[in-house]
Amino acid sequence: MSSSEGKPMSSRLKSWPMWMFMAIVTVCLLAVGAGREGGPLTQQERIDVITKRLACPTCDGESVFVSQASAAVNIKNEVARQVASGQRDDEEIIAYIEERFGGRVLLVPRTTGFDSLVWVLPVSVLVCSVAGLAAAFRRWQREQGLVPSDDDRAMVARLLAEEPQDHDEVPR
Amino acid sequence: MNDSENSSPLNAALEGRSRRSSLIAGAVGVVVALFFVVLVVSSPEDRETAASPLLGNPAPVVRSTTLENEQFELSRRRGSWVMFNFFNSTCVPCRQEHPELVAFHEAQASVATPTELYSIINDDSDNAVRAFFEANQGGWSKVRDDDGSIAVAFGVAKVPETWIIDPNGFVRMRFIGAVTKDLLTEKLTELQTAFEGM
Amino acid sequence: MFGAAGVGGPIGRAFLLVGLVGALFGFVSCVMGMRQKDEKVLRLSLRFATLSAISAVGAFVAMEYAMITRDFSLDYIQNVGSRSTPALYNFTAVWSALEGSILMWLLALALMTAWVAWRYRAKVTDPLVATALATMFVTAFFFFLLTIGPANPFAPGDTGVTDGPGPNPLLQNHILVLFHPPILYIGYVGFTIPFAFAIGALVTGRLGEGWLLETRRWALFSWGFLTFGIVLGGWWSYEVLGWSGVWAWDPVENASLLPWITGTAYIHSVLVQERRGMLRVWNLSLLVATFSLTILGTFLTRSGILNSVHAFSESDIGPYLLTFFAIVVVVSLVLIGWRGDRLRSPGIIDSPLSREGAFLANNVLFSVFAFVVLLGTVFPLIVEALQNRQIVVGEPFFDSLATPIGIVMLFLMCVAPVLPWRKASTELLRQRLFWPAWCGVAALAVAVLLGATGLEPLLTFGLGGFATGAALRQLVLATRRQKWRGLVGRANGGMIVHIGVIMISVALAASNSYTRSQELTLTKGVPASFGGHTFELTGFVEESDARRTSIKVDISVDGGKSYRPAIHKFTSMGQNVGTPSVKSSWSKDIYLTLEPPVKPTSDEAKIKVFIKPMMTWMWAGSILMAIGTVLSAFPGRRRRPTDPVSAPVPGALTGTSP
């Protein structure tokens, strides 16, 4: 016997099969969209991509793309020159700049050594929080089954019999 | 308080909760305390000369024009000690160190093998630089770096910086910040002695 | 015209000293009045609060007077004043540097302290109110201390100085500088009031919902100003800084974002405490965190520590701010720990599939987000302090972590508005989320049809549509029941704010992923094309005055109206500032910048063209957020607690009413 018999039309519309259909449509759309390529980058776009990965050496963490400082403009010009000459690819250009200015010009910390902490910590905090949340929910499901004992009830009755005092409100 | 109250599972749950919250409060406190300790305890390191991946390696190619509109090429200066001073007429430490450079340059005139001093103009207009040198002396060549390629080649982000290149074209020393005549002379003499000894 | 030079300094300083004394005595009168239960002493606190407020106003006015009259006897005016700065930018120059902005903070704080003292003058005998007031006096005292000591705006300067360089050229370009800092500061300082009441509640042990209800509107008000201030900062970045983006994750921006993150979590989580008396520790912690983060943010941006960790120990203001931050955090932790037993709530969260469960998940998510932003901002400091080398944690780090977090937030926005309190069944969710989910699919389909690529932007579009559907559903149901009143009140105003947030997220996703850019060298009279638009250089405009020389180019876009990107050279600072020109429409912005060097005689100019999709949606979404916040502040129709939250779904198996 179908579970949707005897229900109004709108309810039947919102049943599991319709949701499944919706899910399939969504996955197809995502697959089509995520799968296709964006098209070639213009030269300026390639420069932008590279300069967004380099840090301006005299600023507080701004990328070369964002910064107007003279050191950043110099690096931008150098990147533009190298992109125009077509000799090097993105990684090589970044390595070239890093060779001259040092590690402080990399906008993203490396994934090795002490610097990897900046990636490891957020992920571990996220995992721990989700785990903690799940554990808390499970604990509460368990506690739902707890029943107050007779002594608890007696204590509550005693307190209710006392003079009521409203401590919590700010007097108006 | 009744014994059976203590052992009721409800109470146990509540106790567990307060233990957990103290734990979390304690953890937060420890993290914050560590943060402070790290910030307060740190101390700077003072160094006269600075590091660079170029030290001990051949200097980058430098090809440009001077303010007198002559060609300048670093590779053609082989055989002499070369000193580059990255400079900008509005930068305060550059202006402060300028008299020291003037004194250094004049002292070099009476040395057997004088060190060639060049100013690399960083993000400045020709007129401003000419006006500055007219007002403050300094008879050495000033090399243009309009697109900043020389600064990038040496990894210079902030002026002033001073670099020493040996007669074979190898980079020997880098100073970040303002320098004095004595510091330059002292370090130069060290390098020259080591070079001759090779 | 250049009035009594030299008088502004001593007068201003006198005002600040009076304010300091007023704050100190205000604190003393609150504490002693409470101990001795002496009402007359407590009532004195109102007078002291008024005194402090008048002093702060007087000091600020004295500073503006000195700035307007170009009183170069003061060191601060020597640093940021100039005879050639236009009147507007001269006025705003007061808050263009450290000492003046502390003065502005102080102005807001002292006025708010006086407001609290006045508003609760009849209840000052209540220990909770008196403690809250005392906390505000302590904070005001600290900031007065800063202006007397390390950040003295009225310090005398070198003698014989007759002109100055003016404020930073970037702050002389756009009228936004008049609005963005004050609005942001009202947001920052506003959170002091709920914090003070939280301390009052903790100290007196009255941790029910009374203190919360008192400060509910204040928290929303401050959050609204903080949000608007951050949005204005993004707009300023776009219109003035010329790199074509709105957010660069730099430390100053992060300092403003951190209290916003915890503040947003707070205004959501507080609803659970009002409804069911739960999540009390969360709410107190979030409130404490928000206030502490405003102090920490000021410390990070003002102590010079970001340039170099070692600059911190040389700066004057750093140690003060850090100490105050330490005191706030330690005192709050101790208080929360001490009152732990009273913070136990009577209820538990029955099921993760409930509104309480969703808000708890929301708290966790926002806390993780705040942790990520804080870690990224301070990690370079820690590395430099421990290992003496400089690293940078920049945009790519924040983007790669914030995007997934944002997507989960969007998902929560889809589901939470339809969740009932206590418990929901999947049947209920299936019913209520049906049409919103189809909205999401529709949005996704439209995006794919228009050629969108990339999993993250597509998820953003789909979930954005879904969440909009959920918000609209709530609004439609509410207006059906209550007519126009279905648009006011917390739940409904909140949905409008959500729609604004969704618009902003979608705009960010689109402009971050689909911006096209190209550099064009234009010859006068010869059009070039890019991205389906033509650009033609029609002329050069050169202007100069005492302050700056500007060169602008006229670019005709698509043969129509001309847009004028420019480069200004400021004579005093020798700095070049580029100003972009933007052609906006609902589907995209065409963003033009002029690239140096510019030679008008050669009839050629290099411009950079950015085609940024959907940027206008960002500003429209921000306006919607502002409208929604104002609507939230109005009381909705008074409901009986047993009334259903939304219209019942026919045939739904909900058992008890939600």
Side-chain angles (χ1 to χ4, degrees):
Chain A
M1 196 192 230
S2 162
S3 58
S4 58
E5 266 186 28
K7 290 202 185 140
M9 170 66 177
S10 67
S11 200
R12 237 182 323 177
L13 196 59
K14 300 172 183 179
S15 60
W16 278 117
M18 283 305 289
W19 275 91
M20 288 306 302
F21 171 63
M22 198 194 301
I24 293 173
V25 168
T26 310
V27 169
C28 289
L29 283 171
L30 281 175
V32 167
R36 60 185 174 201
E37 289 296 314
L41 295 179
T42 67
Q43 202 169 70
Q44 183 59 49
E45 285 162 3
R46 190 171 159 226
I47 296 172
D48 290 346
V49 166
I50 297 175
T51 53
K52 281 185 192 173
R53 291 175 55 187
L54 292 167
C56 154
T58 55
C59 322
D60 294 333
E62 282 185 337
S63 61
V64 165
F65 175 73
V66 169
S67 171
Q68 310 278 21
S70 68
V73 171
N74 289 346
I75 295 178
K76 223 183 293 192
N77 292 337
E78 180 65 33
V79 171
R81 261 195 301 275
Q82 298 210 6
V83 167
S85 78
Q87 283 174 338
R88 295 192 169 102
D89 69 14
D90 290 7
E91 296 298 327
E92 286 166 351
I93 296 179
I94 291 176
Y96 178 91
I97 304 286
E98 189 198 347
E99 261 173 60
R100 279 146 184 79
F101 286 89
R104 65 195 165 133
V105 97
L106 292 177
L107 200 53
V108 187
R110 299 191 178 293
T111 47
T112 55
F114 189 75
D115 293 352
S116 63
L117 256 185
V118 81
W119 296 102
V120 165
L121 280 177
V123 172
S124 37
V125 162
L126 182 68
V127 166
C128 287
S129 351
V130 168
L133 203 59
F137 279 131
R138 226 171 316 135
R139 192 170 13 105
W140 283 321
Q141 302 276 39
R142 251 186 301 124
E143 278 177 18
Q144 272 196 334
L146 291 174
V147 172
S149 70
D150 288 330
D151 294 309
D152 293 326
R153 291 184 198 280
M155 174 175 63
V156 169
R158 200 173 7 101
L159 288 169
L160 283 177
E162 286 175 9
E163 191 68 32
Q165 279 173 35
D166 195 347
H167 293 282
D168 286 350
E169 299 309 309
V170 177
R172 299 199 167 271
Chain B
M1 281 265 273
N2 217 315
D3 269 345
S4 50
E5 254 179 57
N6 277 339
S7 59
S8 112
L10 204 56
N11 250 326
L14 293 174
E15 296 281 319
R17 203 183 293 185
S18 74
R19 246 183 290 123
R20 255 187 309 276
S21 37
S22 328
L23 219 77
I24 296 175
V28 171
V30 165
V31 167
V32 172
L34 278 176
F35 181 58
F36 284 119
V37 167
V38 161
L39 285 184
V40 168
V41 160
S42 72
S43 61
E45 231 182 71
D46 260 320
R47 260 193 312 198
E48 287 171 326
T49 65
S52 163
L54 291 178
L55 291 180
N57 286 328
V61 171
V62 178
R63 221 177 271 135
S64 180
T65 54
T66 67
L67 281 195
E68 293 79 37
N69 290 318
E70 289 163 8
Q71 286 292 102
F72 174 83
E73 213 175 304
L74 178 59
S75 51
R76 302 189 53 202
R77 311 318 312 159
R78 293 247 172 100
S80 320
W81 287 86
V82 170
M83 189 175 287
F84 277 166
N85 177 262
F86 288 83
F87 168 86
N88 176 296
S89 64
T90 59
C91 121
V92 171
C94 305
R95 298 165 84 109
Q96 283 175 344
E97 76 171 357
H98 191 76
E100 302 281 335
L101 288 175
V102 172
F104 174 80
H105 184 72
E106 276 167 17
Q108 284 296 308
S110 44
V111 164
T113 48
T115 302
E116 297 177 9
L117 175 60
Y118 297 96
S119 284
I120 314 288
I121 309 304
N122 183 288
D123 189 34
D124 208 354
S125 72
D126 287 2
N127 291 334
V129 175
R130 282 205 193 95
F132 178 85
F133 273 82
E134 260 171 43
N136 297 289
Q137 295 180 304
W140 57 87
S141 279
K142 303 101 187 156
V143 178
R144 288 200 190 93
D145 186 20
D146 288 333
D147 56 4
S149 54
I150 307 179
V152 171
F154 279 83
V156 172
K158 221 175 192 170
V159 288
E161 277 198 32
T162 308
W163 291 69
I164 301 182
I165 299 162
D166 74 18
N168 287 337
F170 282 72
V171 174
R172 285 291 162 205
M173 199 164 275
R174 173 189 194 182
F175 303 88
I176 294 183
V179 291
T180 60
K181 165 177 173 280
D182 294 328
L183 178 65
L184 287 177
T185 324
E186 177 197 329
K187 295 292 176 189
L188 188 61
T189 318
E190 273 176 33
L191 288 172
Q192 284 171 330
T193 323
F195 184 74
E196 255 113 64
M198 279 185 352
Chain C
M1 175 172 69
F2 295 99
V7 164
I11 288 184
R13 200 155 160 78
F15 271 122
L16 289 175
L17 279 164
V18 167
L20 181 77
V21 165
L24 179 64
F25 275 89
F27 172 72
V28 167
S29 70
C30 284
V31 169
M32 277 181 42
M34 269 194 294
R35 280 176 155 255
Q36 298 163 5
K37 302 212 198 312
D38 187 342
E39 188 173 326
K40 269 204 276 284
V41 173
L42 283 171
R43 287 200 190 285
L44 279 177
S45 63
L46 174 57
R47 290 180 208 275
F48 288 124
T50 319
L51 185 66
S52 295
I54 294 176
S55 315
V57 171
F60 193 78
V61 168
M63 182 46 113
E64 282 291 358
Y65 179 75
M67 186 62 84
I68 293 172
T69 58
R70 271 86 173 174
D71 181 359
F72 285 105
S73 66
L74 294 179
D75 189 51
Y76 191 69
I77 314 287
Q78 285 180 14
N79 287 336
V80 301
S82 162
R83 292 189 194 276
S84 53
T85 315
L88 171 68
Y89 298 118
N90 197 44
F91 179 81
T92 63
V94 163
W95 54 78
S96 65
L98 171 65
E99 290 83 357
S101 45
I102 299 284
L103 206 56
M104 189 164 67
W105 186 300
L106 190 57
L107 178 68
L109 183 58
L111 285 172
M112 287 184 190
T113 309
W115 183 87
V116 169
W118 181 82
R119 164 90 169 75
Y120 293 98
R121 62 194 183 286
K123 305 165 211 162
V124 76
T125 47
D126 180 353
L128 192 152
V129 172
T131 313
L133 200 52
T135 312
M136 298 215 60
F137 275 123
V138 167
T139 315
F141 177 79
F142 169 72
F143 277 92
F144 271 113
L145 201 62
L146 282 183
T147 57
I148 304 285
N152 183 6
F154 298 106
D158 301 328
T159 48
V161 174
T162 50
D163 202 354
N168 189 314
L170 285 172
L171 300 174
Q172 296 188 44
N173 249 350
H174 200 284
I175 194 175
L176 259 181
V177 72
L178 182 62
F179 299 106
H180 164 56
I183 289 179
L184 198 61
Y185 274 45
I186 292 176
Y188 281 148
V189 181
F191 273 107
T192 314
I193 298 184
F195 172 74
F197 273 86
I199 297 290
L202 280 168
V203 166
T204 55
R206 293 193 353 232
L207 291 156
E209 279 52 74
W211 67 273
L212 250 191
L213 295 171
E214 288 302 318
T215 56
R216 193 172 70 192
R217 287 233 171 73
W218 255 113
L220 191 62
F221 169 82
S222 315
W223 180 86
F225 269 84
L226 189 58
T227 310
F228 205 55
I230 292 176
V231 164
L232 286 181
W235 197 35
W236 187 72
S237 183
Y238 190 66
E239 292 278 324
V240 176
L241 295 184
W243 60 278
S244 86
V246 295
W247 190 262
W249 294 106
D250 75 51
V252 178
E253 288 172 333
N254 293 347
S256 66
L257 188 65
L258 280 166
W260 184 88
I261 295 173
T262 52
T264 308
Y266 172 72
I267 58 175
H268 284 88
S269 169
V270 129
L271 299 171
V272 178
Q273 184 169 345
E274 283 182 24
R275 217 25 152 86
R276 296 198 55 203
M278 295 199 289
L279 299 187
R280 284 179 186 159
V281 177
W282 267 106
N283 291 333
L284 283 168
S285 313
L286 285 170
L287 199 45
V288 166
T290 308
F291 178 70
S292 328
L293 285 170
T294 61
I295 307 291
L296 184 67
T298 311
F299 164 71
L300 286 175
T301 54
R302 296 293 182 188
S303 65
I305 197 171
L306 290 166
N307 276 325
S308 155
V309 166
H310 313 307
F312 154 67
S313 41
E314 296 159 27
S315 92
D316 294 326
I317 200 169
Y320 280 78
L321 284 165
L322 195 58
T323 313
F324 187 63
F325 172 73
I327 293 175
V328 165
V329 169
V330 166
V331 166
S332 312
L333 277 179
V334 164
L335 281 173
I336 294 178
W338 175 45
R339 291 300 193 191
D341 56 337
R342 294 212 198 194
L343 288 169
R344 283 191 219 138
S345 65
I348 55 169
I349 296 185
D350 306 289
S351 147
L353 219 57
S354 64
R355 198 168 291 195
E356 309 94 298
F359 279 137
L360 180 60
N362 192 50
N363 282 352
V364 171
L365 188 67
F366 272 80
S367 304
V368 171
F369 188 26
F371 174 76
V372 166
V373 174
L374 185 60
L375 179 69
T377 311
V378 304
F379 195 72
L381 306 179
I382 297 177
V383 167
E384 195 183 342
L386 289 177
Q387 298 189 343
N388 223 327
R389 64 189 168 94
Q390 289 194 318
I391 67 160
V392 178
V393 176
E395 218 172 315
F397 169 80
F398 294 104
D399 274 342
S400 54
L401 287 174
T403 313
I405 291 179
I407 289 178
V408 176
M409 277 183 199
L410 270 179
F411 174 71
L412 277 179
M413 267 197 272
C414 300
V415 176
V418 308
L419 280 174
W421 294 92
R422 290 222 92 115
K423 202 175 183 129
S425 61
T426 49
E427 168 91 40
L428 184 92
L429 284 181
R430 253 193 295 137
Q431 300 293 335
R432 291 185 175 180
L433 287 178
F434 190 74
W435 292 119
W438 275 112
C439 289
V441 175
L444 184 59
V446 166
V448 170
L449 273 169
L450 288 176
T453 60
L455 182 62
E456 283 172 346
L458 286 173
L459 275 177
T460 310
F461 299 138
L463 287 172
F466 191 165
T468 310
L472 283 174
R473 177 186 173 275
Q474 162 79 19
L475 285 171
V476 161
L477 287 174
T479 45
R480 233 189 258 168
R481 298 181 119 240
Q482 302 168 28
K483 308 289 183 295
W484 66 269
R485 291 209 103 180
L487 290 175
V488 301
R490 259 191 333 202
N492 306 318
M495 290 299 108
I496 297 179
V497 173
H498 273 197
I499 296 179
V501 172
I502 294 164
M503 284 176 79
I504 294 177
S505 318
V506 164
L508 275 174
S511 64
N512 281 344
S513 314
Y514 307 132
T515 294
R516 310 293 329 245
S517 63
Q518 180 64 289
E519 196 176 72
L520 299 173
T521 308
L522 297 178
T523 316
K524 193 164 168 182
V526 179
S529 76
F530 173 64
H533 298 272
T534 56
F535 305 93
E536 185 179 335
L537 170 65
T538 53
F540 293 84
V541 174
E542 288 173 75
E543 292 170 356
S544 76
D545 59 34
R547 190 170 58 116
R548 60 181 191 182
T549 11
S550 312
I551 176 153
K552 312 183 189 184
V553 290
D554 276 319
I555 310 283
S556 167
V557 178
D558 292 334
K561 181 163 170 240
S562 276
Y563 290 86
R564 221 178 246 195
I567 296 182
H568 309 285
K569 191 177 173 75
F570 283 79
T571 38
S572 60
M573 297 233 174
Q575 207 176 325
N576 277 343
V577 172
T579 304
S581 184
V582 186
K583 174 179 186 207
S584 302
S585 69
W586 278 105
S587 60
K588 64 177 96 157
D589 271 14
I590 300 178
Y591 191 95
L592 303 167
T593 59
L594 181 59
E595 298 295 303
V598 189
K599 297 183 193 76
T601 46
S602 66
D603 274 351
E604 252 188 22
K606 234 186 340 179
I607 63 166
K608 223 159 122 170
V609 179
F610 293 89
I611 299 189
K612 304 189 72 75
M614 291 180 85
M615 283 306 288
T616 317
W617 289 51
M618 199 172 304
W619 317 125
S622 319
I623 294 181
L624 216 55
M625 280 183 82
I627 294 175
T629 312
V630 169
L631 289 173
S632 298
F634 283 102
R637 191 188 73 162
R638 257 171 245 274
R639 280 191 303 109
R640 282 171 296 154
T642 50
D643 274 2
V645 172
S646 53
V649 177
L653 307 167
T654 49
T656 58
S657 72

